[in-house]
Amino acid sequence: MENSGYTGELERFSYDDKTVKKFVLATMIWGAVAMLVGVIIALQLANWRFNLFNLPWLSFGRLRPLHTNAAIFAFAGNAIFAGVYHSSQRLLKTRIYSDFLSALHFWGWQLIIVLAALTIPLGITTGKEYAELEWPIDIMITVVWVAFAVNFFGMLFTRRERHLYVALWFYIASIVTVAVLHIVNSIAIPVGLLKSYPVYAGVQDALVQWWYGHNAVAFFLTTPFLGLMYYYLPKAVNRPVYSYRLSIIHFWALVFIYIWTGPHHLLHSAMPDWAQTVGMVFSIMLLAPSWGGMINGLLTLRGAWDRVRREPILKFLVASITFYGMATFEGPLLSIKSVNALAHFTDWIVGHVHSGVLGWNGFMIAAMLYYVVPKLWNSKLYSEKLANAHFWLGTAGIVLYMTSMWAAGVTQGLMWRAAEGSKLVYPDFVETVTRIVPLYWVRVVAGVLYLTGYLIMLFNLFKTISLGVKQPEKVYTAPRLMPFRSDKKGHRLIEGLPALMIVLTIISILIGSVIEILPTLLAHKYYVPEKITRKPYTPLELAGRDIYIREGCYTCHSQMVRSLPEDILRYGDRSEPEEFIYDHPFQWGSRRIGPDLARVGGKYPDSWHYYHMKDPRKITPNSLMPMYPELFTRKIDYGVMSKKAHVMKALGAPYSYLELRDAALNGQRQAASIAQDLKAQGAPGDLDDKEILALIAYLQSLHNKGDKS
Amino acid sequence: MKQLILAKYTLIPLNCAALILFLIIFVGAVLWVYRRSGRDYYKYMENLPLKGD
């Protein structure tokens, strides 16, 4: 078996571990940044004063997307690249395909991260979760991802090992699917260099966004890490994976099913029922392949469990896989409509996500780093005691995080739905927030514990690196591959032909994508015409909407009255798809730290919003909302209104010629009118061109854009 | 009709049919992967990561 397909002619080659080292170091550094920002925003939710100095770029709404982007794309992303390059070279017995592409990949990705770290706090954002980066950076991501893909597939086609080990299949699926997700979700029309509107609106945008969003979890935080598990776990235990056959089932079932599950983020919303049901059913089915993978991982340790007690790497691996099992049990559970009705928009989801990212991803990365750093730098781990301390601090942090957020989520969810007859028991939303603030402090402690463990790991690894002994590049030999023999059958044939493997993987992920997305993209054509009574946003409202997006209001406020009695009782009529046809992007949100805003327009006078933005505690004592002083000093950009209106017109908003021509003038008129009203209500009189007017115009427009009045 | 199907209609029979179809494919794949032949091949594959450094 071993010699089949080889010429017998030996070739000499070496591995490019310099690139791997660079990605390892980047992982270590960006991980600390992501976790530090996480602790800061946890503090901001525990006490609003941690929105330091009321600086806009340090407010929760801007730092929260920075945290998620840093954790996913900087920390996990660099770890994936390090692991993929390190393991693939060894599994394929070949060097990374191109030194130039490796450099482009590494420096390009770091540049993207730096640009993200600059633009997101500055409020330059698309307002789409986990896809906040604006279009020029999106293009850079595409270029760098293509460089990565070519570099990886180049290795496949120059390999000296006939068959592709299961870890490589997971890498292939990740690379092709992330490319598809990123491109489809990022299609937008630019208004300028730093602003664009997505081509999708409302329900369309919601489905495409969560198809992307959930599959970012699937194909960025799951499949590459399963590949890493299938490589580093056998290496660390020094025994083969429990069942290679199970890994085949695991791979194909997971890749096929995962892509369908996005709509479980939109249950009870204005999304068509069939899409919600499909999302829920596939999410539940996903339990089977997920647990197949977890069982395959844990059983690989059969006969070696005693080593888990002694070896920190195995501790991290076992805990990581266990957290994967817990998160993939909880995910399907949360996707059941009745459970989701309680959990959605609460901290239960936040706890679920962090059990995955801190437990599964964070610990898998730690295991990988503890394994590769001594090998790459030709050293010995500086301190096993410190690694053990990292493990226990990290584990305590995760457990504390999960339990506090479960308690917070269930508490808040139950308070929202508590009713006596048709009367809410807790009609004042802020009551449901202040009740869980103590749990937010517990989360801060949890975050500090996890971060402390991580910093200990950094110290340990940097000491390990400093003890390394330089050695010349190792040279390996392996026989060259003969052209592929076509007498292979079944999966052996697929694994021998990477191009076929890639095509089949693409087909697997496209089936679910097309079936879910295509009807939704067409659905706008078939809305009930009588219900489309809403008008597009006025230029000032549109400017206000962009401020709403810039400040990250969607990170705390939803705009979706679900079809649940408690939502209707609290906020008004359920949201209908027709209400969102001019919403580029949709702003349904994913968490209610503040109340839903879908029907907030007209509920309060303009002055209420004015004083609320200036100091939320003046209006709502105990509110956690940051203050927004810059809205009272920054001027509205009337000059760009016409351009924005033209882009919206191109996207389907029925503006007339006059409305397009006079966009700026109409914006000024509406702003002057609001300023006059505010003055009459006692506000200062120098507001004519301040951003607060645009935001008020937008918020007041929300109640009847779907003409529910 | 199109309006109902694409915007609102709950396609329960279609969902059930799809579920049954996927289940059959899944069971078939499991039986195929776990067939007796190919034992040597699987042995070789599962040991791949253990070779080399």
Side-chain angles (χ1 to χ4, degrees), chain B residues 15-40:
Chain B
N15 290 347
C16 292
L19 186 60
I20 291 165
L21 180 69
F22 293 149
L23 192 64
I24 290 168
I25 292 171
F26 177 73
V27 171
V30 170
L31 293 174
W32 178 70
V33 168
Y34 278 88
R35 71 199 187 285
R36 280 181 175 275
S37 63
R39 189 172 295 173
D40 291 344

Side-chain angles (χ1 to χ4, degrees), chain A residues 1-2 6 15 90-91 161 163-165 231 234-235 238-241 243-246 248-249 253 256 260 272-274 277-278 281-282 285 474 476 490-492 495 519 523 526-527 529 576-577, chain B residues 1-12 14-15 18-19 22-23 25-53:
Chain A
M1 180 75 208
E2 284 199 43
Y6 299 108
Y15 297 136
R90 284 149 178 87
L91 287 168
E161 167 55 53
H163 289 284
L164 305 184
Y165 180 66
Y231 180 76
K235 291 294 274 186
N238 197 29
R239 56 185 63 209
V241 64
S243 168
Y244 199 77
R245 294 170 198 257
L246 181 56
I248 296 175
I249 301 292
F256 180 75
W260 296 74
D273 279 348
W274 68 265
T277 306
V278 170
V281 170
F282 274 85
M285 288 198 290
K474 280 186 190 168
Y476 302 85
H491 212 267
R492 273 168 277 178
E495 285 166 33
Y526 303 107
Y527 283 159
E576 299 284 350
Chain B
M1 184 63 183
K2 278 181 187 171
Q3 287 173 3
L4 283 174
I5 290 172
L6 289 170
K8 294 285 179 195
Y9 187 56
T10 308
L11 298 162
I12 292 170
L14 192 60
N15 290 347
L19 186 60
F22 293 149
L23 192 64
I25 292 171
F26 177 73
V27 171
V30 170
L31 293 174
W32 178 70
V33 168
Y34 278 88
R35 71 199 187 285
R36 280 181 175 275
S37 63
R39 189 172 295 173
D40 291 344
Y41 162 73
Y42 289 123
K43 194 86 185 158
Y44 172 75
M45 288 306 292
E46 67 189 22
N47 281 293
L48 261 184
L50 303 180
K51 298 170 185 170
D53 66 348

Side-chain angles (χ1 to χ4, degrees), chain A residues 52 87 106 172 210 215 279 301 339 358 370 432 488 508 632 634 636 643 662 676 709:
Chain A
L52 295 172
S87 59
F106 178 78
I172 292 171
W210 282 113
N215 287 304
L301 285 148
V339 180
L358 298 177
Y370 282 124
T432 73
K488 302 281 182 191
S508 294
F632 300 83
R634 280 182 69 155
I636 298 167
K643 204 169 181 186
D662 299 335
Q676 207 170 12
S709 60

Side-chain angles (χ1 to χ4, degrees), chain A residues 24-304:
Chain A
V24 163
L25 291 171
T27 304
M28 289 159 61
I29 293 162
W30 289 124
V33 174
M35 288 167 209
L36 182 64
V37 178
V39 170
I40 293 169
I41 59 174
L43 280 165
Q44 290 175 332
L45 288 181
N47 190 319
W48 64 272
R49 291 177 185 83
F50 285 98
N51 292 278
L52 295 172
F53 313 114
N54 297 318
L55 291 172
W57 50 88
L58 293 180
S59 67
F60 177 82
R62 297 197 190 181
L63 287 187
R64 192 264 191 179
L66 180 68
H67 165 62
T68 52
N69 277 270
I72 298 171
F73 301 110
F75 176 50
N78 277 303
I80 291 166
F81 302 138
V84 167
Y85 281 138
H86 179 257
S87 59
S88 300
Q89 291 184 90
R90 284 149 178 87
L91 287 168
L92 297 165
K93 297 195 181 90
T94 190
R95 187 183 170 84
I96 299 177
Y97 182 63
S98 159
D99 289 349
F100 169 73
L101 289 176
S102 298
L104 176 64
H105 181 190
F106 178 78
W107 291 112
W109 196 256
Q110 308 319 310
L111 177 63
I112 288 164
I113 294 168
V114 171
L115 289 175
L118 291 172
T119 56
I120 293 174
L122 287 172
I124 299 164
T125 169
T126 63
K128 288 167 71 111
E129 285 187 69
Y130 320 125
E132 284 90 351
L133 303 179
E134 267 297 351
W135 67 271
I137 309 176
D138 277 343
I139 292 172
M140 288 174 66
I141 293 172
T142 309
V143 171
V144 172
W145 199 261
V146 168
F148 172 42
V150 173
N151 227 4
F152 178 80
F153 293 128
M155 281 195 284
L156 294 187
F157 292 106
T158 56
R159 70 195 190 280
R160 296 181 182 82
E161 167 55 53
R162 168 61 67 204
H163 289 284
L164 305 184
Y165 180 66
V166 61
L168 298 163
W169 317 346
F170 281 102
Y171 301 157
I172 292 171
S174 308
I175 292 169
V176 297
T177 311
V178 167
V180 173
L181 294 167
H182 173 68
I183 291 168
V184 173
N185 189 46
S186 302
I187 301 172
I189 300 184
V191 176
L193 186 64
L194 302 174
K195 184 70 195 165
S196 64
Y197 294 129
V199 294
Y200 317 106
V203 171
Q204 293 174 339
D205 195 37
L207 185 77
V208 172
Q209 163 60 25
W210 282 113
W211 165 79
Y212 163 87
H214 193 77
N215 287 304
V217 174
F219 291 90
F220 210 89
L221 297 177
T222 305
T223 52
F225 283 87
L226 287 168
L228 300 181
M229 177 191 85
Y230 275 117
Y231 180 76
Y232 288 106
L233 181 62
K235 291 294 274 186
V237 193
N238 197 29
R239 56 185 63 209
V241 64
Y242 169 67
S243 168
Y244 199 77
R245 294 170 198 257
L246 181 56
S247 74
I248 296 175
I249 301 292
H250 177 204
F251 173 77
W252 288 110
L254 192 90
V255 167
F256 180 75
I257 293 175
Y258 229 134
I259 202 85
W260 296 74
T261 58
H264 71 217
H265 288 260
L266 303 163
L267 299 180
H268 305 290
S269 73
M271 178 65 52
D273 279 348
W274 68 265
Q276 295 185 32
T277 306
V278 170
M280 180 182 80
V281 170
F282 274 85
S283 301
I284 294 167
M285 288 198 290
L286 192 59
L287 181 63
S290 300
W291 273 47
M294 176 195 69
I295 290 166
N296 213 4
L298 290 179
L299 288 181
T300 300
L301 285 148
R302 68 202 182 286

Side-chain angles (χ1 to χ4, degrees), chain A residues 498-553:
Chain A
L500 181 61
M501 184 92 190
I502 294 163
V503 170
L504 289 176
T505 306
I506 292 172
I507 291 171
S508 294
I509 58 129
L510 284 184
I511 292 173
S513 306
V514 170
I515 291 175
E516 276 184 354
I517 292 175
L518 208 56
T520 314
L521 290 182
L522 297 173
H524 277 208
K525 290 184 181 176
Y526 303 107
Y527 283 159
V528 183
E530 296 77 38
K531 282 193 176 178
I532 306 178
T533 51
R534 77 165 276 185
K535 297 178 185 71
Y537 293 106
T538 65
L540 190 70
E541 290 164 3
L542 198 55
R545 193 168 201 273
D546 289 338
I547 294 167
Y548 182 94
I549 290 168
R550 182 188 77 199
E551 298 304 332
C553 302

Side-chain angles (χ1 to χ4, degrees), chain A residues 332-455:
Chain A
L333 177 76
L334 289 167
S335 302
I336 298 168
K337 275 189 167 180
S338 49
V339 180
N340 190 274
L342 174 69
H344 193 56
F345 290 135
T346 76
D347 283 312
W348 188 349
I349 309 299
V350 180
H352 164 63
V353 169
H354 282 80
S355 73
V357 177
L358 298 177
W360 162 238
N361 301 117
F363 274 15
M364 183 62 72
I365 291 170
M368 184 186 83
L369 293 176
Y370 282 124
Y371 180 83
V372 299
V373 166
K375 287 188 184 300
L376 289 173
W377 274 272
N378 193 31
S379 180
K380 191 173 177 299
L381 184 62
Y382 173 70
S383 167
E384 287 207 351
K385 276 188 181 172
L386 286 179
N388 280 322
H390 170 204
F391 174 78
W392 289 113
L393 281 169
T395 304
I398 301 167
V399 171
L400 211 52
Y401 196 112
M402 284 163 59
T403 48
S404 61
M405 290 301 99
W406 283 338
V410 173
T411 302
Q412 198 174 30
L414 289 174
M415 288 177 84
W416 288 344
R417 65 166 56 181
E420 284 169 358
S422 60
K423 208 174 162 206
L424 291 167
V425 176
Y426 303 101
D428 201 358
F429 187 90
V430 78
E431 267 188 281
T432 73
V433 180
T434 50
R435 187 67 64 89
I436 59 176
V437 166
L439 293 163
Y440 283 172
W441 280 110
V442 176
R443 172 168 59 182
V444 171
V445 174
V448 170
L449 284 175
Y450 195 89
L451 177 61
T452 306
Y454 188 82
L455 294 176

